[in-house]
Amino acid sequence: MIEVTNVTKTHGQITSADQVSFIAEAGVVTGLLGPNGAGKSSVMRIICDLDRADAGQATVCGRRYREHPIPMRVAGAQFEGSGAHPSRRAIDHLRWIARTNRLSDARVIEVLELVDLQPRDWKRRVREYSLGMQQRLGIASALLGDPQVVIFDEPANGLDPLGIQWLRGLLTGLARDGKTVLLSSHLMSETEMIADRVVLMDRSRVIGEGDVKDLVHAHGSLEKAFFERLELSRQQGSDTGDAR
Ligand SMILES: Nc1ncnc2c1ncn2[C@@H]1O[C@H](COP(=O)(O)OP(=O)(O)OP(=O)(O)O)[C@@H](O)[C@H]1O
């Protein structure tokens, strides 16, 4: 489980997270949905201890990410593509991460197969990878430690419709195995396809949340639900003189 409680983060004049609170449960695919600059990556970076919150806290399975003895075995994360150096061979990138985290080379092969990268591509250099292949490699590295919690920042970017379908199968399977799955996206229809539950963000705040099925049932589509909520929230913001 991921628990985010009143997380606030500022960078000088800019607020990237403003009292953000939500829970991502085990066995559920939770989507953090919002437009560019809404604060999704900022919150995910704080969950993974890549950034420190100014106030509030985020825990993964009951503790701060970095307080776990081998964090990678508890939570795996993917930010911006593969995270690999372009000159590295894909398999060597994963082997390096595996060895520094006391994981076996056999697990490297398992995750390469899990993300459906073809054996002929394993030894290719990452710079030769398409965007979609880089996404798959990034997802593979997040899964290396077979963690309870997986966090993917915009995993659908660069994937074609078949790739999106594959991603949905993968994430649904992980949730079915009892894992906590958190993904961010600004893509409404993809999120509607992939997530069970959504946390809606705009201008660094949570503006709503709910089960995707319920929101689609009530509003016709997740996109409509999102924009209705967005309009209301921005209206309330302007009523109170909040310019963000
Ligand atoms: N290190 C930083 N320094 C200054 N501003 C930052 C920093 N990190 C994030 N921000 C700002 O915080 C806001 C939220 O950014 P963030 O990347 O979290 O949004 P996002 O929802 O992930 O957007 P996208 O969908 O475009 O990735 C933006 O205005 C961004 O410019």
Side-chain angles (χ1 to χ4, degrees), residues 12-141:
Q13 301 290 316
I14 298 169
T15 301
S16 60
D18 187 358
Q19 305 223 359
V20 171
S21 297
F22 66 86
I23 288 174
E25 301 275 4
V28 176
V29 178
T30 303
L32 210 47
L33 181 65
N36 293 130
K40 309 177 296 291
S41 304
S42 299
V43 171
M44 287 182 148
R45 291 179 62 80
I46 288 167
I47 294 169
C48 297
D49 263 329
L50 295 170
D51 256 330
R52 184 192 287 260
D54 298 328
Q57 65 163 9
T59 58
V60 177
C61 299
R63 288 192 203 180
R64 289 268 307 268
Y65 176 82
R66 67 170 178 205
E67 287 169 356
H68 289 280
I70 304 181
M72 204 187 175
R73 294 191 185 224
V74 180
Q78 175 238 353
F79 289 93
E80 290 172 33
S82 69
H85 192 281
S87 66
R88 267 242 144 104
R89 295 181 197 282
I91 193 165
D92 291 342
H93 168 68
L94 293 179
R95 279 183 181 147
W96 177 77
I97 301 173
R99 284 173 194 172
T100 50
N101 286 279
R102 286 179 270 157
L103 299 165
S104 71
D105 281 358
R107 179 65 186 159
V108 169
I109 304 300
E110 266 174 35
V111 292
L112 282 165
E113 287 172 345
L114 201 59
V115 300
D116 229 0
L117 279 170
Q118 301 307 306
R120 63 171 181 271
D121 296 322
W122 294 354
K123 289 192 175 170
R124 287 176 66 193
R125 295 191 194 277
V126 173
R127 66 166 164 260
E128 296 166 14
Y129 268 29
S130 70
L131 204 56
M133 289 164 82
Q134 292 196 28
Q135 288 290 58
R136 287 174 193 254
L137 182 59
I139 292 170
S141 67

Side-chain angles (χ1 to χ4, degrees), residues 188-214:
M188 310 281 163
S189 53
E190 277 81 354
T191 307
E192 182 176 325
M193 280 174 66
I194 294 171
D196 303 311
R197 193 169 170 76
V198 279
V199 176
L200 311 176
M201 284 191 76
D202 181 47
R203 297 177 174 179
S204 71
R205 291 179 180 165
V206 172
I207 58 167
E209 59 184 301
D211 286 341
V212 172
K213 273 190 191 142
D214 295 346

